[in-house]
């Protein structure tokens, strides 16, 4: 895209060229606190409302307040827009707008920028009074000019000073104006979006931001010579635009949840922020507990009393909740837990994406604690998964862990407005009098299911315990009792498994390679598969929503492909690394699970770069695996 | 004040302004009704009907991933509804359906001339409140705690005095068409709680500032001539009362307290002429007092004159205490945090 020539000064051309693309990726980057994220989010929302496919990803520094003008401090948003549905963040950026050259340099060094990309960068640093800053600018520009970019310097601060005293608070809307001109965004929609974003502030704030938007637009109109057309090809009617955490919150409301108990943890906290804005209007209560453990306890207590309760957390919080999750399983109290995964063990990478909690979610509870683990693959599925999770938890009187990740949590995507169904709100707990002699764990010998006794039910009084217990909920250490109750709790998973359908293969039912994924990687995997199939490669993919119990028929499906591999955002050893052997190689977490469950030699390709996977990278891996298969 | 004996579409416009509150109540009504139908059908319905309901309850995420026919076979259908309980549940279901059948009419009361406003509003709310009564009846019947003597009237009338805090948050909004001579605001205070919204569409001459008597920190109070001025009602989540009065009455908006704990009163119009004749039961003196009260609130006089003797501490303001014993009693009442009745 664009000219080969690096332009060091303002462009002024009498002729504006418009280039049309089926999709384009834009980044807005700045230091923390300069509003690049709001600029990017607004651009994404406006594009979605105009009928473009959109996927946004937040670029978040690891630290809350990193040093200004440092490559590690790059903060902002990547917005991929398309004529059609966009399912992932793509490969590299085509257009970037940066508030300083250091954050732009960071993106360049991460290989995040496409060849021939158009880069618009604030140029106040070139003439800054601080000699060191001028030197940094010069060095950065030299490095950037070594690549094949078109660099356009923009006097953001100088222009914004005409409207605001502190341009740090205004550049983002000026940048948004530039993007609106370049991509011919509807300014009425943009103004409305800005007004919505600042709805809780004084009217003058919105007015000021509107002025900055217009200023950026008119500056671009006077100085830029290239516009990009990504034709809106979708209907924007009856469409919602939100991120995965918002979708979880709205899904919880739609599912008739009564209580959300949580303790703040990145990147899950914004679920509670969203709930905090509207949960009470639907009779819901959000409880911020004193810690993660208490949050799980409160949710279990509420559920025990007949309410519909869930708790929200991320990996470190899931670890802390472990004992209480076991109580939910042992006492058969329905509970939904949302795990918004982040990177690393311990506190790890709070703001970065990873899918490393899978095995902990599956097996993290000491003792045998069979429960359900499911994973939405899109932002739309984040919404709907809450309805299903509630129903499964109540039907099977068990724990359901819903696993999303930071990619889904902060990514924004439009999706069809759900047609709300009152049935999602479920039924009232059965409080009809308990027949004489019926015990609280009246397990059906075949299914392990039993009626849920809610406090207040006539004839249903019993002692609740997390200790081994018999049908009457009496603590019992007799050898046969634990064997039976364990079998009953486990049987429920087999019964649920019997209701699951085999997953649908994306692509042909047989071939050289089957790529298996779970969670947020669906869009990137399927785009990579499409690219590979367009080259004539016989590759298909499969995306799992239920990890426990696993969806049925996997062994049969795997058997129709020469090779099977998982693609995941967690760590695995590269087989070519020192000391790594077939025997000691640590594999991707889903690969591990699939190998154990199917006895198929499932390979894996995984990365923990702290960012979503790129379809281009997966495409390369597919090519590589198929060529290896041909050679062997 | 010129005479105006019609409502000129003001009723319809008032109902439109209350659309969100009406929809919230209506949605709850639909959900409760369907839940009850599901309960009555459970166990007795066909396998197809159960599967259909299960499919709906599992939602879109299950589509393609769960075999709902199989899943529904494992759904707990509950104990069969006892023969003695079923008629009561059926009656509750009929009550809910009859409320749904009324449509917008459920939220409208046309008061005959001479009727007591408090009684009119109470009856209207008790009628819509049957939805709450029906839900409570179901809960009690299913758990074997239903007592005909105590709960038998709930499907016929369920007045606001019996509503719980949560029900008050979901209170049905109500538009009351009333003669100006019947406009006595004092009795309305009993209903202004939770999210209750009451709009009075007044016909004919009316006391000029009657609603000023209801101004309290947490309550939205509006007197207007143009229904468009009632749009603020849609913005508050708390209780609100408004009156659409003929030309010449005082027009004002009192917004509930903000974070700083102060309400905001804006008086858009004060009548120039003093009231000259009694209107219904409201004397000339009382009408003038209404106007003086409004003027004093607008001038900040009321705040400055707040009783200084009120004891300090958290909680709602207590009556001014004149003796040590009264002071102690008032303090205890505030601290007691007595549970809601009903």
């Amino acid at each position: 895209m664009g000219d080969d020539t690096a332009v060091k000064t303002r462009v002024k051309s009498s002729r504006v060229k418009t280039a049309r693309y089926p999709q384009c990726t834009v980044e807005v980057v700045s230091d923390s606190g300069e509003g690049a994220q709001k600029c990017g989010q607004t651009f994404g929302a406006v594009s979605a409302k105009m009928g473009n496919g959109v996927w946004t990803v937040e670029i978040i520094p690891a630290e809350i307040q990193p040093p200004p003008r440092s490559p590690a401090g790059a903060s902002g948003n990547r917005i991929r827009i398309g004529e059609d549905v966009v399912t992932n963040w793509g490969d590299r950026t085509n257009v970037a707008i940066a508030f300083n050259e250091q954050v732009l340099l960071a993106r360049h060094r991460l290989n995040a920028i496409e060849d021939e990309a158009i880069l618009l960068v604030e140029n106040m640093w070139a003439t800054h009074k601080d000699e060191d800053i001028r030197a940094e600018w010069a060095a950065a520009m030299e490095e950037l000019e070594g690549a094949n970019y078109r660099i356009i310097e923009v006097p953001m601060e100088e222009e914004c000073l005409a409207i605001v005293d502190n341009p740090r608070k205004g550049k983002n809307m000026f940048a948004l104006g530039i993007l609106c001109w370049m991509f011919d965004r509807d300014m009425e929609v943009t103004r409305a979006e800005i007004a919505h974003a600042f709805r809780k502030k004084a009217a003058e704030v919105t007015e000021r931001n509107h002025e900055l938007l217009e200023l950026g637009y008119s500056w671009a109109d006077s100085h830029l010579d290239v516009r990009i057309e990504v034709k809106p090809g979708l209907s924007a009617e009856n469409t919602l635009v939100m991120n995965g955490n918002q979708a979880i919150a709205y899904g919880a409301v739609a599912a008739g949840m009564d209580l959300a108990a949580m303790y703040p943890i990145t990147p899950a906290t914004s679920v509670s922020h969203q709930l905090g804005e509207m949960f009470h209007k639907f009779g819901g209560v959000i409880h911020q507990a004193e810690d993660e453990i208490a949050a799980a306890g409160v949710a279990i207590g509420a559920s025990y009393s007949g309410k519909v309760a869930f708790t929200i957390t991320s990996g470190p919080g899931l670890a802390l909740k472990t004992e209480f999750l076991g109580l939910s399983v042992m006492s058969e109290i329905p509970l939904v837990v949302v795990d918004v995964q982040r990177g690393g063990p311990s506190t790890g990478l709070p703001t970065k994406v990873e899918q490393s909690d899978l095995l902990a979610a599956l097996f993290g509870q000491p003792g045998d604690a069979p429960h359900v683990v499911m994973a939405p693959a899109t932002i739309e599925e984040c919404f709907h998964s809450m309805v299903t999770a509630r129903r499964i938890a109540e039907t099977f009187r068990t724990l359901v862990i819903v696993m999303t990740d930071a990619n889904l949590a902060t990514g924004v995507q439009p999706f069809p407005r759900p047609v709300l169904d009152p049935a999602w709100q479920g039924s009232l707990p059965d409080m009809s009098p308990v027949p004489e002699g019926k015990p609280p764990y009246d397990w059906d010998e075949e299914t392990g299911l039993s009626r849920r006794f809610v406090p207040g039910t006539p004839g249903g009084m019993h002692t609740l315990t997390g200790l081994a217990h018999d049908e009457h909920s009496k603590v019992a250490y007799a050898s046969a009792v634990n064997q039976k109750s364990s079998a009953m709790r486990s049987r429920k998973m087999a019964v649920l498994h019997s209701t699951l359908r085999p997953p649908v293969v994306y692509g042909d039912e047989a071939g050289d390679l089957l790529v298996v994924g779970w969670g947020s990687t669906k869009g990137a995997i399927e785009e990579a598969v499409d690219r590979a199939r367009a080259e004539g490669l016989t590759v298909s993919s499969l995306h799992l929503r239920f990890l426990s119990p696993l969806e049925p028929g996997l062994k049969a499906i795997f058997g129709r492909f020469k090779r099977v591999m998982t693609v995941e955002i967690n760590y695995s050893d590269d087989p070519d690394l020192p000391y790594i052997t077939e025997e000691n190689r640590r594999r991707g977490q889903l690969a591990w699970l699939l190998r154990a469950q199917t006895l198929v030699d499932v390979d894996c390709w995984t990365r923990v770069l702290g960012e979503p996977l790129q379809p281009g990278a997966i495409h390369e891996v597919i090519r590589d695996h198929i060529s290896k298969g041909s050679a062997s | 004040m010129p005479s105006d004996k019609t409502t000129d579409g003001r009723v319809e416009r008032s109902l439109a302004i209350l659309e969100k509150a009406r929809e919230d109540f209506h949605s709850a009504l639909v959900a409760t009704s369907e839940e009850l139908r599901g309960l009555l059908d459970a166990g007795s319905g066909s396998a197809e009907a159960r599967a259909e309901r299960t499919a709906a309850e599992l939602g879109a995420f299950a589509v393609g991933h769960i075999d709902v026919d199989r899943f529904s076979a494992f759904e707990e259908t509950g104990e069969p509804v006892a023969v003695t309980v079923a008629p009561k549940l059926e009656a509750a279901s009929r009550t809910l359906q009859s409320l749904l059948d009324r449509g917008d009419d459920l939220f409208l009361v046309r008061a005959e001339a001479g009727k007591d406003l408090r009684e009119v509003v109470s009856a209207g709310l008790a009628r819509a409140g049957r939805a709450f009564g029906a839900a409570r009846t179901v809960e009690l019947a299913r758990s074997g705690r239903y007592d005909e003597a105590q709960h038998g009237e709930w499907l016929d009338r369920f007045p606001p005095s019996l509503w719980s805090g949560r029900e008050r948050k979901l209170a049905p909004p109500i538009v009351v068409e009333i003669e100006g001579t019947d406009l006595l605001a004092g009795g309305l205070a009993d209903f202004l709680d939770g999210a209750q919204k009451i709009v009075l569409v007044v016909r004919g001459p009316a006391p000029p500032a009657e609603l000023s008597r209801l101004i309290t920190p947490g309550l939205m109070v509006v007197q207007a001539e143009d229904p468009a001025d009632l749009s603020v009602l849609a913005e508050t989540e708390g209780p609100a009362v408004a009156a659409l009065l003929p030309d010449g009455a005082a027009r004002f908006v009192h917004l509930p307290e903000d974070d700083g704990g102060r309400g905001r009163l804006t008086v858009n119009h004060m009548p120039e002429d003093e009231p000259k004749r009694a209107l219904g039961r409201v004397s000339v003196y009382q009408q003038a007092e209404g106007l003086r009260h409004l003027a004093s609130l607008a001038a900040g006089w009321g705040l400055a004159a707040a009783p200084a003797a009120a004891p300090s501490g958290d909680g709602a303001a207590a009556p001014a205490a004149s003796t040590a014993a009264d002071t102690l009693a008032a303090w205890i009442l505030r601290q007691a945090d007595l549970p809601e009745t009903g």
Side-chain angles (χ1 to χ4, degrees):
Chain A
M1 236 190 301
D3 203 316
D4 288 345
T5 319
V7 179
K8 290 184 184 172
T9 54
R10 296 182 195 179
V11 177
K12 189 159 186 176
S13 166
S14 57
R15 209 157 63 86
V16 176
K17 291 179 197 162
T18 300
R20 183 175 172 183
Y21 295 94
Q23 59 86 17
C24 184
T25 303
V26 179
E27 282 190 12
V28 187
V29 277
S30 70
D31 286 340
S32 281
E34 288 188 310
Q37 286 188 6
K38 185 153 275 181
C39 172
Q41 285 160 357
T42 308
F43 179 70
V46 168
S47 299
K49 286 179 178 172
M50 287 178 63
N52 284 115
V54 173
W55 186 281
T56 76
V57 172
E58 287 182 5
I59 299 163
I60 309 175
E63 295 172 44
I64 292 170
Q65 193 64 58
R69 289 180 42 78
S70 63
S75 167
N77 218 286
R78 173 186 276 203
I79 313 100
R80 188 185 188 198
I81 63 173
E83 291 180 351
D84 205 346
V85 174
V86 176
T87 63
N88 64 86
W89 78 328
D91 294 314
R92 276 179 283 278
T93 291
N94 305 111
V95 175
I97 185 159
F99 296 8
N100 68 61
E101 80 292 345
Q102 294 301 312
V103 292
L104 193 58
L105 198 58
R107 303 304 295 159
H108 164 72
R109 289 176 179 169
L110 283 170
N111 197 24
I113 303 175
E114 191 70 83
D115 251 13
E116 301 188 4
I118 298 171
L119 310 183
L120 298 113
V121 57
E122 158 73 274
N123 69 358
M124 64 172 284
W125 314 106
T127 54
H128 198 274
K129 63 184 178 188
D130 185 328
E131 189 181 337
D132 291 342
I133 289 178
R134 292 200 305 275
E136 285 169 3
W137 165 273
M141 296 312 276
E142 189 179 341
E143 187 174 338
L144 289 168
E145 283 164 9
N148 192 20
Y149 304 136
R150 182 179 185 205
I151 300 171
I152 300 170
E153 294 178 20
V154 184
M156 292 187 198
E157 175 133 338
E158 182 186 327
E159 291 286 330
C160 291
L161 276 171
I163 293 178
V164 287
D165 295 333
N166 178 8
R168 256 180 78 82
K169 299 284 182 192
K171 282 181 189 177
N172 59 343
M173 290 297 119
F174 181 82
L176 180 61
I178 293 176
L179 290 175
C180 284
W181 181 87
M182 284 186 80
F183 288 85
D184 195 20
R185 300 294 84 175
D186 185 322
M187 289 295 274
E188 275 312 305
V189 175
T190 311
R191 274 189 283 269
E193 198 62 33
I194 290 171
H196 179 74
F198 293 102
R199 66 192 181 283
K200 291 180 181 170
K201 308 229 167 166
E204 304 85 69
V205 176
T206 299
E207 281 170 28
R208 190 62 48 86
N209 281 290
H210 282 168
E211 288 173 28
L212 288 158
L213 172 82
E214 305 285 353
L215 185 67
Y217 190 94
S218 84
W219 182 89
D221 191 36
S222 308
H223 294 84
L224 299 185
D225 64 354
V226 60
R227 301 183 88 168
I228 296 164
E229 183 183 3
V230 182
K231 207 171 174 181
L234 302 169
S235 169
E237 276 187 33
N238 288 323
T239 296
L240 297 176
V241 183
M242 64 176 73
N243 66 37
N245 275 1
Q246 290 173 309
I248 290 282
Y250 280 107
V253 172
M257 301 278 192
D258 297 304
L259 176 107
M262 47 69 69
Y263 183 76
I265 184 167
T266 303
T269 310
S270 64
V271 176
S272 54
H273 292 164
Q274 184 63 51
L275 283 171
E277 296 221 342
M278 45 85 172
F279 207 22
H280 61 286
K281 295 179 188 171
F282 301 92
V285 172
I286 180 155
H287 173 71
Q288 179 174 328
E290 62 267 39
D291 57 37
E292 292 278 3
I293 303 169
V298 167
I300 289 172
S303 180
Y304 172 64
S305 73
K307 296 297 181 186
V308 189
F310 76 116
T311 180
I312 320 152
T313 191
S314 188
L318 186 70
L320 290 166
K321 292 179 194 295
T322 296
E323 185 177 355
F324 263 133
L325 302 193
L327 177 65
S328 164
V329 174
M330 187 65 152
S331 56
E332 305 195 41
I333 295 172
L335 179 67
V336 174
V337 177
V338 177
D339 175 17
V340 186
Q341 296 168 94
R342 65 191 213 183
S346 185
T347 43
L349 296 164
T351 60
K352 309 290 186 185
V353 63
E354 231 170 77
Q355 295 180 311
S356 297
D357 293 353
L358 177 57
L359 295 180
L362 287 166
F363 307 117
Q365 302 75 39
D368 186 60
H371 60 277
V372 181
V373 177
M374 47 193 269
T378 64
I379 289 162
E380 182 180 11
E381 285 186 6
C382 286
F383 176 91
H384 292 291
S385 64
M386 295 301 285
V387 176
T388 310
R390 179 225 163 136
R391 186 78 242 128
I392 292 175
E394 289 184 344
T395 299
F396 289 88
R397 295 184 63 183
T398 193
L399 164 67
V400 177
I401 301 180
V402 177
M403 304 194 72
T404 74
D405 62 36
N407 186 21
L408 289 173
T410 60
V412 170
Q413 189 187 31
F415 62 86
R417 179 187 290 272
V419 181
L420 301 177
D421 189 333
W424 294 351
Q425 305 265 317
S427 306
L428 294 169
D430 179 9
M431 292 187 69
S432 59
V434 174
E436 183 92 24
K438 188 178 177 105
Y441 295 98
D442 187 22
W443 295 301
D444 179 292
E445 294 286 340
E446 196 170 333
T447 64
L449 296 170
S450 57
R451 175 180 162 179
R452 176 183 175 196
F453 285 14
V454 171
T457 304
M461 191 182 290
H462 65 282
T463 304
L464 189 73
T465 178
L467 290 166
H469 52 262
D470 62 12
E471 290 92 332
H472 297 277
S473 197
K474 301 287 186 196
V475 175
Y477 299 131
S479 55
V481 170
N482 198 43
Q483 178 67 28
K484 180 178 179 183
S485 58
S486 295
M488 292 293 95
R489 291 190 293 271
S490 184
R491 188 73 50 78
K492 292 190 292 183
M493 295 303 106
V495 171
L496 175 59
H497 179 263
S498 76
T499 73
L500 298 182
R501 293 181 182 281
V504 175
V505 174
Y506 182 78
D508 293 333
E509 291 290 326
D512 289 331
L513 178 65
L514 180 70
V515 179
V516 187
W518 66 286
S520 71
T521 54
K522 179 173 181 282
I525 289 175
E526 291 183 353
E527 185 169 330
V529 165
D530 286 342
R531 291 184 197 177
R533 290 172 64 81
E535 293 171 349
L537 301 178
T538 53
V539 57
S540 301
S541 67
L542 189 67
H543 218 75
L544 296 171
R545 298 332 194 271
F546 285 88
L547 288 315
S548 172
L550 262 179
E551 291 167 35
L554 293 179
K555 190 164 187 170
I557 294 170
F558 293 177
R560 297 197 291 268
F561 290 86
K562 289 180 187 165
R563 296 166 72 95
V564 179
M565 66 177 283
T566 66
V567 167
E568 307 175 61
I569 314 177
N570 50 48
Y571 184 78
S572 64
D573 292 322
D574 187 324
D576 300 328
L577 292 176
Y579 290 98
I580 304 303
T581 67
E582 188 61 20
E583 197 174 35
N584 70 13
R585 182 185 175 200
R586 296 179 66 248
R587 293 177 166 81
Q589 299 194 2
L590 178 62
W592 223 322
L593 181 69
L594 294 177
R595 290 167 71 92
Q597 289 289 90
T598 65
L599 300 181
V600 172
D601 185 11
V602 177
D603 199 357
C604 63
W605 180 79
T606 73
R607 286 292 178 270
V608 281
L609 302 171
E611 58 183 30
L613 299 179
Q614 294 174 342
I618 302 170
H619 180 201
E620 284 300 316
V621 172
I622 290 171
R623 280 180 177 156
D624 186 46
H625 267 65
I626 289 185
S627 68
K628 271 186 196 165
S630 306
S632 61
Chain B
M1 268 180 267
S3 175
D4 174 8
K5 281 288 180 185
T6 69
T7 60
D8 295 329
R10 290 181 296 160
V11 166
E12 292 73 18
R13 292 177 69 185
S14 300
L15 283 168
I17 283 164
L18 296 173
E19 184 182 8
K20 188 181 171 303
R22 285 190 293 122
E23 276 187 4
D24 288 349
F25 184 77
H26 186 261
S27 300
L29 199 51
V30 169
T32 309
S33 180
E34 295 210 0
E35 205 167 272
L36 181 50
R37 280 278 27 122
L39 187 68
L40 287 164
D41 292 345
S44 61
S46 65
E48 289 81 17
R50 283 211 308 275
E52 195 176 324
R53 180 164 179 82
T54 299
E57 287 187 353
L58 280 166
F61 186 83
V63 174
H65 301 295
I66 294 178
D67 179 338
V68 291
D69 288 341
R70 280 194 63 77
F71 193 98
S72 69
F74 302 113
E75 286 270 33
E76 188 181 345
T77 55
E79 302 298 331
V81 174
V83 176
T84 51
V85 170
K88 194 46 68 182
L89 300 194
E90 290 286 1
S93 179
R94 283 195 300 276
T95 297
L96 292 171
Q97 189 56 51
S98 73
L99 294 175
L100 283 170
D101 291 344
R102 294 189 75 126
D104 288 351
D105 190 37
L106 181 61
F107 306 103
L108 177 61
V109 177
R110 290 196 163 89
E112 290 173 27
K115 287 279 184 186
D116 181 273
L117 177 58
R118 188 186 178 286
E119 285 176 17
V120 166
V121 171
S122 179
L125 293 177
R127 182 184 64 190
R130 291 158 67 208
F132 303 138
R136 298 253 207 118
T137 297
V138 172
E139 268 182 49
L140 291 169
R142 290 177 67 220
S143 58
R145 291 178 289 143
Y146 182 81
D147 173 8
E148 186 65 34
Q150 194 183 345
H151 312 121
E153 276 195 353
W154 287 7
L155 298 182
D156 300 322
R157 59 185 307 275
F158 195 70
S161 57
L162 296 178
W163 298 358
S164 68
R166 196 160 167 173
E167 287 161 346
R168 284 161 198 262
K169 290 263 185 196
L170 197 64
I174 193 166
V175 174
V176 183
E177 199 181 326
I178 187 177
E179 293 293 331
T181 48
D182 296 327
L183 182 60
L184 274 167
L188 296 179
D190 291 359
F191 310 112
L192 295 167
D193 187 2
Q196 183 68 60
K197 291 177 177 57
I198 300 172
V199 175
L200 308 171
V201 178
V202 181
R203 297 180 301 242
E210 183 64 12
L211 261 55
S212 67
R213 297 167 186 276
L214 294 172
I215 293 176
T216 48
L219 182 65
M220 177 178 281
V221 187
V222 183
Q223 268 199 196
E225 183 193 350
D226 184 349
D229 293 336
L230 303 191
S231 59
V232 287
L233 262 68
E235 293 164 18
T236 183
E237 292 175 10
V241 58
L244 285 174
L245 291 158
D247 184 25
R251 296 195 296 271
F252 64 86
V253 177
H254 174 261
L255 300 178
E257 62 185 2
D258 54 21
D259 293 341
R262 296 274 296 266
R264 285 175 289 151
L265 176 64
T266 308
V267 178
N268 299 313
H269 173 74
M270 284 290 269
E272 291 176 5
D273 300 334
E274 288 287 313
K276 291 185 175 56
R277 62 187 175 90
L279 287 167
R281 285 186 284 159
V282 186
S283 68
V284 170
Y285 175 81
Q286 287 168 323
Q287 292 174 56
E289 275 297 282
L291 286 169
R292 275 198 292 276
H293 181 54
L294 179 61
S296 68
L297 286 174
W301 178 87
L303 293 166
S312 59
D314 295 329
S322 56
T323 66
D326 287 347
T327 304
L328 182 60
W331 182 85
I332 290 170
L333 282 173
R334 282 200 319 280
Q335 301 304 315
D337 192 20
L338 294 172
E340 289 169 285
T341 57

